[in-house]
């Protein structure tokens, strides 16, 4: 089932559940794997619950009498205008008492009206001289129908107004330059998941409400790495045994990145290569190593992606076996000195994967992959940039019509800069030679202040960090966009002005003998997405700034500020919430749908090793020596996790 069909069915989800329609299992299966459709369902549930919680509307006691009198007056005028042949139908019985009242109050009414309201029914009528223009004729049934429709519209308008006011108060963040004033909501409900594995050193993990995946390695002279899967509905056991996802362990480092539509995505880094025959010192030498971006379909059924038909890939892969989306050679000599990885960010929407990566020559690319279990994955380049500039942190709206990413570079003074680009799909007006309306992709600079980092879309809000002070003149002014359309690709200026930016980072630099200087960022008090001891942090990961949110419906409005000035870092987002870290390593959480801050408190401790978010679920790990349970079996790893919202409310509840 695709998203279009699922969203048609969601409109009648309550009826489908009540009737236990045959399509229900297929629809529920799609909702489990599609975060975009699940978000639409949650929004529908929220609106439905809001409507059902409204007080029952009742009309005023005198409303019915006023309506009947109005209908009686209209019927009186109808009788006066009609001919005798049109009055063969008796006056409706429910109007007769009100016609009598009108006769009693208005003694000047013509006798014809009085006779028509008598108990014997209408009498033959003598045509009278009409004193007003002849109007269109309507029968009694039509009149009653129109009046009833007007009443229904009035009642529906009242309900709609109440729902809109509820949405305005509880739904989306208010827009304005002021700091967000939000009501603290419910706290998290954290669960422990004990997993017994022979690969005890976990470096990355992803989870949803039903399943958790993690990458880990075991000790040895040549450490062995493995991807493993855990079904969370078995967590009643004292310790869960995971399922390996690779045919055999690998000696390459494995870092989980994304899980989209049952496709598991990870980065695989091979051992560093050296030409000197001596062990490579990664702290003082240039890194040269092969890498690949791999995918594995973990859903039920076979996949037809049996052959890597992507450029440069010719190897065969059997059903439900890993396939290679992208591979290359990472050479420290060709990339900027502050870069530590060939990948600079990933994100997903629907069945699409966005990846920013560096090729062998140091050119940075933004590529979109479309993943389908029944088709070979396809790729499309959205942007590229070179000469020391790097594309990073791609993100997109749930429908993919708005895509954002950062463009980063460092100046000679070791100061990191960044602008934000956007790609928008818009309905273009008909033009000469092309009369039919069509969709046009427009790419432009969204923020060119050289101090905006880490764009992240959650719901209908675009979040980002700014390293400018709040009183900077260009903080709230959107720059004039540089428009590129069609097949053109935005290429950054090669000589950015350093005078506009505020210094945000001065990383330490270590230099080996006869080697290119390498920027090695010092360890920051940061909770990373992967274990920083295994996957080194990059310079931009430690950026601290002021967190702002822009409404996607109108990004020209002044942004909303979250948290204290210059204290926020390490943004991560789910389907409806954003998690970020303060400079002191405490965690903040904001629910975009309800416009509420969520209480985290000490649920996520400062010594957390890594934390990652996927959809509705966050999972993290704390160092084993800090676990309170010292009696757990050997090689047992205890994960921490929470779902938000804690429970998805069924439409029948």
């Amino acid at each position: 089932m695709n998203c279009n069909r699922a969203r048609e069915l969601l409109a009648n989800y309550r009826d489908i559940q009540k009737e236990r329609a045959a399509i229900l299992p297929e629809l529920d299966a799609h909702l489990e794997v599609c975060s975009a459709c699940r978000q639409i369902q949650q929004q529908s549930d929220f609106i439905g619950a809001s409507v059902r919680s409204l007080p029952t509307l009742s009309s005023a006691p005198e409303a019915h009498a006023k309506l009947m009198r109005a209908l009686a007056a209209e019927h009186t005028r109808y009788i006066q205008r009609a001919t005798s042949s049109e009055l063969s139908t008796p006056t409706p019985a429910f109007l007769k008492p009100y016609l009598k009242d009108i006769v009693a109050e208005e003694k000047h009414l013509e006798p014809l009206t009085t006779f028509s309201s008598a108990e014997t029914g209408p009498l033959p009528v003598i045509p009278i001289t009409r004193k007003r223009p002849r109007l269109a004729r309507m029968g009694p049934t039509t009149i009653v129908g129109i009046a009833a429709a007007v009443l229904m519209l009035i009642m529906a308008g009242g309900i709609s107004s109440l729902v809109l006011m509820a949405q305005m108060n509880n739904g989306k963040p208010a827009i304005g330059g002021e700091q967000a004033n939000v009501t603290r909501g419910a706290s998290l409900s954290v669960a422990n998941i004990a997993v017994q594995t022979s690969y005890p050193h976990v470096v990355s993990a992803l989870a949803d409400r039903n399943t958790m995946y993690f990458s880990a390695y075991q000790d040895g002279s040549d450490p062995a790495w493995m991807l493993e899967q855990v079904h969370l509905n078995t967590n009643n056991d004292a310790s869960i045994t995971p399922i390996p996802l690779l045919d055999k362990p690998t000696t390459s480092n494995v870092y989980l990145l994304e899980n989209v539509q049952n496709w598991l995505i990870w980065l695989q880094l091979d051992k560093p290569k050296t030409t000197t025959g001596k062990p490579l010192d990664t702290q003082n030498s240039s890194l040269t190593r092969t890498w690949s971006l791999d995918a594995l379909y973990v859903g039920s059924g076979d996949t037809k992606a049996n052959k890597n038909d992507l450029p440069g890939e010719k190897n065969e892969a059997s059903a439900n076996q890993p396939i290679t989306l992208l591979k290359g050679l990472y050479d420290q000599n060709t990339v900027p000195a502050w870069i530590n990885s060939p990948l600079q960010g990933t994100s997903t929407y629907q069945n699409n994967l966005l990846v920013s990566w560096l090729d062998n020559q140091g050119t940075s690319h933004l590529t979109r992959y479309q993943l389908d279990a029944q088709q070979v994955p396809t790729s499309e380049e959205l942007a590229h940039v070179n000469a020391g500039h790097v594309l990073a942190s791609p993100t997109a709206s749930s429908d993919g019509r708005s895509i954002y990413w950062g463009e980063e570079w460092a100046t000679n003074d070791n100061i990191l800069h960044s602008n934000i680009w956007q790609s928008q799909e818009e309905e273009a007006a008909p033009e000469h030679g092309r009369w039919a309306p069509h969709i046009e992709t427009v790419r432009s600079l969204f923020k060119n202040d050289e101090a905006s980092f880490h764009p992240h879309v959650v719901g209908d809000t675009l979040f980002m960090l700014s390293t400018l002070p709040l009183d900077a003149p260009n903080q709230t002014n959107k720059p004039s966009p540089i428009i590129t359309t069609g097949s053109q690709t935005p290429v950054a200026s090669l000589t950015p002005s350093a005078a506009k930016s505020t210094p945000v980072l001065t990383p330490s630099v270590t230099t080996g003998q006869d080697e290119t200087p390498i920027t090695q960022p010092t360890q920051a008090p940061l909770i990373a997405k992967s274990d920083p001891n295994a996957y080194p942090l990059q310079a931009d990961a430690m950026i601290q700034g002021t967190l702002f949110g822009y409404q996607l419906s109108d990004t020209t409005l002044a942004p909303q500020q979250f948290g204290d000035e210059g204290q926020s870092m390490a943004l991560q987002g789910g389907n409806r919430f954003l998690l970020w870290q303060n400079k002191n390593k405490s965690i903040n959480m904001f629910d975009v749908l309800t416009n509420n801050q969520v209480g985290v408190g000490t649920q996520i401790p400062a010594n957390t090793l890594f934390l990652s978010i996927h959809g509705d679920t966050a999972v993290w790990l704390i160092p084993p020596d800090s676990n309170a349970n010292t009696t757990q079996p050997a090689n047992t790893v205890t994960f921490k996790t929470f779902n938000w919202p804690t429970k998805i409310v069924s439409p029948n509840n």
Side-chain angles (χ1 to χ4, degrees), residues 38-97:
R38 191 163 62 250
Q39 183 176 8
I40 292 176
Q41 181 200 16
Q42 294 169 7
Q43 292 173 346
S44 300
D45 293 347
F46 176 79
I47 294 175
S50 300
V51 172
R52 289 192 293 274
S53 65
L54 294 174
T56 302
L57 297 179
S58 59
S59 58
E62 66 275 8
H64 181 267
K66 288 183 178 180
L67 176 61
M68 293 298 103
R69 288 179 60 82
L71 292 175
E74 181 61 30
H75 187 66
T76 300
R77 289 191 288 271
Y78 163 74
I79 293 174
Q80 293 174 341
R81 296 193 300 267
T83 62
S84 58
S85 60
E86 295 173 330
L87 292 176
S88 58
T89 302
T91 301
F94 65 86
L95 285 182
K96 289 182 180 180

Side-chain angles (χ1 to χ4, degrees), residues 339-395:
I339 295 295
N340 292 329
S341 170
L343 296 187
Q344 303 305 304
T346 60
S347 67
T348 64
Y349 67 91
Q350 296 179 352
N351 64 331
N352 292 271
L353 170 69
L354 298 174
V355 182
S356 56
W357 57 284
L358 290 157
D359 64 18
N360 303 356
Q361 287 75 40
T363 300
S364 183
H365 305 262
L366 176 61
T367 304
R368 173 169 55 195
Y369 292 91
Q370 190 171 36
L371 302 171
D372 193 316
Q374 302 304 316
Q375 298 178 7
V376 174
T378 58
S379 63
E380 174 191 5
E381 181 171 287
L382 303 181
H384 71 269
V385 67
N386 49 22
H389 288 227
V390 173
L391 304 181
S393 306
T395 186

Side-chain angles (χ1 to χ4, degrees), residues 233-252:
N233 54 8
T234 63
N235 61 359
N236 292 328
D237 299 336
S239 185
I240 307 172
T241 301
I243 302 170
L245 295 178
L246 303 179
D247 288 341
K248 60 181 180 179
T250 177
T251 58
S252 301

